[in-house]
Amino acid sequence: QVQLVESGGGSVQPGGSLRLSCAASGSIFSINAMGWYRQAPGKQRELVAGITSGGSTNYADSVKGRFTISSDNAKNTVHLQMNSLKPEDTADYYCKADITGWGTPRFDYWGQGTQVTVSS
């Protein structure tokens, strides 16, 4: 069984920063990729940023230059540093991990979500 636990959400004023973290635990053989998605009220869930086990990253155009994704492979953790936050960044943020477990096939696991609110 694999679990993803997110932390770091909250409320911030426009222009502020937040750092999200997601830790994977459980019966993990390998983590192939991790990423952050977000879903604003009334909108579809969208990819914010992703990182592979080899360190390759990709970002949504709307966050390029403001957000940075990083990972600590030894700790099975991924972080999302969010700077210059805008009201349109307000959403529930979800961690996703592409994990191969011990004796289980490759699967996408999701965290429970953490809320980010950007408002003055």
Side-chain angles (χ1 to χ4, degrees), residues 76-109:
N76 293 337
T77 300
V78 65
H79 306 284
L80 184 68
Q81 179 65 44
M82 305 186 294
N83 298 328
S84 302
L85 282 160
K86 304 175 180 180
E88 51 263 44
D89 295 317
T90 295
D92 291 325
Y93 283 70
Y94 297 88
C95 173
K96 188 183 86 167
D98 173 359
I99 291 174
T100 302
W102 287 100
T104 59
R106 190 169 175 171
F107 188 78
D108 284 338
Y109 294 88

Side-chain angles (χ1 to χ4, degrees), residues 37-41 45 89-94 112-116:
Y37 288 70
R38 67 185 180 189
Q39 187 167 18
R45 190 172 296 188
D89 295 317
T90 295
D92 291 325
Y93 283 70
Y94 297 88
Q112 79 284 359
T114 185
Q115 189 172 51
V116 171

Side-chain angles (χ1 to χ4, degrees), residues 56-78:
S56 297
T57 60
N58 63 297
Y59 296 91
D61 287 343
S62 59
V63 307
K64 284 181 181 176
R66 300 188 297 122
F67 291 10
T68 302
I69 190 169
S70 62
S71 63
D72 183 339
N73 293 335
K75 295 182 178 179
N76 293 337
T77 300
V78 65

